[in-house]
Amino acid sequence: MADGRSVESSNPKAAGGAPAPIWQKLRFDAKLAAEQEPSLSSYLAATVLNHETFAEALCYQLAQKAGGPDMSALAVREICEEAYKQDPAIVAAAERDLQAVLERDPATRSTLQPFLFFKGYLALQTHRVAHYLFGQGRETLAFFLQSRMSELYSVDIHPAAPIGSGVFIDHATGIVIGETARVGNDVSMLHGVTLGGTGKVYTDRHPKIGNGVLLGAGSKVLGNIRIGDEARVGSGSVVLSDVPARCSVAGVPAKPVGGACMKPAQTMDQKFDMGL
């Protein structure tokens, strides 16, 4: 720029008012926070500002959280770096996940909150690395990361379960996702969600969640069933059978309620019109 300012120190929106790329926005937010709270400047430098790419910063953050006496943070960081190098789609998914939090969580003040502090976001990114390792046949290491994720964030996702991008896990405490579950793109789920089985079955036994689905707090989706695209499951519900696309269900067992829903994962609208 003509006045010598970097892009990061100016407005964090690209030309024409479009949202800035997530890494540019994260660095802008980190610089602003460091100026406002000098006591955190070293921490923000270590976690964000000292890194050249989003992938580097995310590797560092996940490693600092997951590292411990059994495996050093440096070792975890090297594992994450390998996963991101071999499968760049993991990083792209992490960026979309962060954008989803910004768009769907009204409590989020900046990119820093989910990146540094939100256990739903951090647990999901840890799972993405574990899922990569599981696919490479490195199952013991994948289960190690799953165990650390459960200890740190109270989130238990089997490393075999594939999860799409643009996924928002709000609050996250008590999330359980089984081995043969599948989660599509642009899904939102709140705390206490279970995607589980219904018995001691060794084959395909867990739910398949379509794109754009909203799973309310404490909802239980059990068995090898399909939740259609943009469906909505009410809080506290127990779902035991397939749910059609754009259908709202609630209750124990869950049944259709209200009218059709559109993009519930984006709107986060959990209020059902029982009069329809």
Side-chain angles (χ1 to χ4, degrees):
M1 299 178 66
D3 61 1
R5 291 180 298 163
S6 68
V7 172
E8 297 154 355
S9 63
S10 60
N11 192 305
K13 286 191 175 184
I22 202 71
W23 176 232
Q24 180 184 342
K25 181 70 169 67
L26 182 61
R27 287 184 61 85
F28 176 89
D29 291 339
K31 283 189 172 184
L32 184 62
E35 293 172 0
Q36 295 174 340
E37 190 58 74
S39 61
L40 289 176
S41 59
S42 295
Y43 170 66
L44 293 167
T47 52
V48 178
L49 297 174
N50 287 349
H51 304 284
E52 295 184 358
T53 67
F54 179 82
E56 288 181 8
L58 186 56
C59 282
Y60 179 88
Q61 176 67 350
L62 296 181
Q64 290 300 113
K65 294 288 187 178
D70 299 317
M71 181 179 292
S72 69
L74 179 59
V76 177
R77 186 176 180 180
E78 290 174 347
I79 292 166
C80 293
E81 289 172 347
E82 175 194 336
Y84 292 171
K85 181 179 179 180
Q86 295 299 319
D87 189 358
I90 301 175
V91 180
E95 292 176 332
R96 285 206 70 222
D97 295 340
L98 188 54
Q99 186 63 43
V101 180
L102 293 175
E103 293 172 353
R104 301 177 209 170
D105 186 357
T108 301
R109 301 291 194 270
S110 75
T111 54
L112 282 178
Q113 282 177 285
F115 187 84
L116 297 178
F117 309 126
F118 284 8
K119 59 187 179 181
Y121 180 79
L122 295 170
L124 180 54
Q125 307 324 313
T126 304
H127 166 74
R128 294 196 186 283
V129 177
H131 180 66
Y132 163 81
L133 294 168
F134 196 89
Q136 297 297 308
R138 302 169 69 181
E139 295 186 4
T140 303
L141 184 54
F143 284 124
F144 174 84
L145 287 182
Q146 177 199 16
S147 177
R148 287 294 292 142
M149 175 176 61
S150 180
E151 294 169 1
L152 289 167
Y153 309 119
S154 298
V155 173
D156 191 356
I157 308 175
H158 194 287
I163 296 180
S165 64
V167 173
F168 172 39
I169 303 180
D170 195 14
H171 300 294
T173 300
I175 295 285
V176 177
I177 300 178
E179 178 182 10
T180 61
R182 303 290 183 270
V183 178
N185 298 321
D186 304 310
V187 169
S188 293
M189 66 180 76
L190 286 90
H191 52 285
V193 166
T194 297
L195 304 181
T198 58
K200 192 176 180 182
V201 178
Y202 292 101
T203 54
D204 198 355
R205 62 193 183 277
H206 295 110
K208 312 300 179 281
I209 309 300
N211 299 324
V213 171
L214 172 62
L215 301 172
S219 58
K220 316 300 178 187
V221 186
L222 306 177
N224 184 15
I225 60 176
R226 168 78 182 179
I227 309 299
D229 293 349
E230 296 187 11
R232 178 172 55 165
V233 178
S235 298
S237 300
V238 177
V239 186
L240 301 173
S241 57
D242 290 351
V243 176
R246 299 181 181 85
C247 178
S248 298
V249 298
V252 182
K255 298 179 180 179
V257 294
C261 53
M262 300 294 290
K263 298 185 176 181
Q266 279 71 36
T267 64
M268 298 296 291
D269 184 3
Q270 301 170 69
K271 192 166 62 174
F272 293 81
D273 187 350
M274 304 301 291
L276 295 179

